[in-house]
Amino acid sequence: MAKNNRVLSRDEPLGLATPMIRWTLAVTATTAVIVILFFVLFAKDQAHSAMTGAGIAFIATGYAVRRVFSLRGEQLLEDSSGAATLAGLYRAEFGKLVITGALCAVAFVAVKDLKVVGFLVGLVATLLSATFGAILAQVSEEKRRSRRD
């Protein structure tokens, strides 16, 4: 694997992954805010539930993004097959699933009058936006590299 083709490698711990983290979390947070504002404006009784769902998704996504994009360049060089990177992705997604499930269980037990529709819209929209944020970050990085080359 050529050194200039790796997105996640530099000498510092987060290296080129820092823009990926920023993009992904920024898009995720923006989506969470938009969903919450929508419910505040159009369905006030659902707003608290949407905020709870969006918050859970943001916390789980933050964990997964940090886990995936915090590999050091040396770790990537040691495993040219990508097995370590793939294992890291699986661990991050499994952790995200566990965190989401645990926090959802806590929310359903602890939050009085939790509205399922608002909760699920906040949760799902925010979880999906993390994927779109990662895609946008990759496209942005590729455009930046093509302009530089």
Side-chain angles (χ1 to χ4, degrees):
M1 189 182 289
K3 191 170 186 172
N4 62 358
N5 290 336
R6 291 189 329 257
V7 174
L8 302 178
S9 63
R10 276 204 190 152
D11 293 332
E12 59 267 12
L14 294 177
L16 288 172
T18 303
M20 296 286 284
I21 293 170
R22 286 184 188 140
W23 264 97
T24 304
L25 293 181
V27 169
T28 304
T30 302
T31 301
V33 169
I34 290 170
V35 167
I36 293 165
L37 287 176
F38 174 82
F39 280 107
V40 165
L41 294 174
F42 298 108
K44 290 183 186 204
D45 60 326
Q46 301 274 336
H48 186 261
S49 298
M51 183 177 68
T52 304
I56 288 170
F58 185 76
I59 291 167
T61 298
Y63 164 80
V65 167
R66 175 69 181 179
R67 177 98 178 149
V68 168
F69 295 120
S70 64
L71 291 176
R72 293 180 182 265
E74 311 89 57
Q75 292 170 321
L76 293 175
L77 287 174
E78 289 173 7
D79 182 29
S80 61
S81 69
T85 303
L86 187 59
L89 286 168
Y90 285 139
R91 279 192 295 271
E93 283 302 315
F94 183 73
K96 182 178 174 181
L97 179 67
V98 169
I99 290 168
T100 302
L103 291 177
C104 285
V106 168
F108 278 105
V109 169
V111 178
K112 294 183 181 192
D113 299 326
L114 189 69
K115 308 289 186 201
V116 176
V117 172
F119 179 80
L120 289 177
V121 168
L123 180 73
V124 172
T126 307
L127 284 173
L128 289 176
S129 70
T131 303
F132 295 124
I135 292 168
L136 288 173
Q138 184 67 32
V139 169
S140 173
E141 179 65 22
E142 288 172 1
K143 284 182 182 179
R144 188 183 65 76
R145 283 184 181 183
S146 67
R147 279 187 250 131
R148 191 177 63 197
D149 293 340

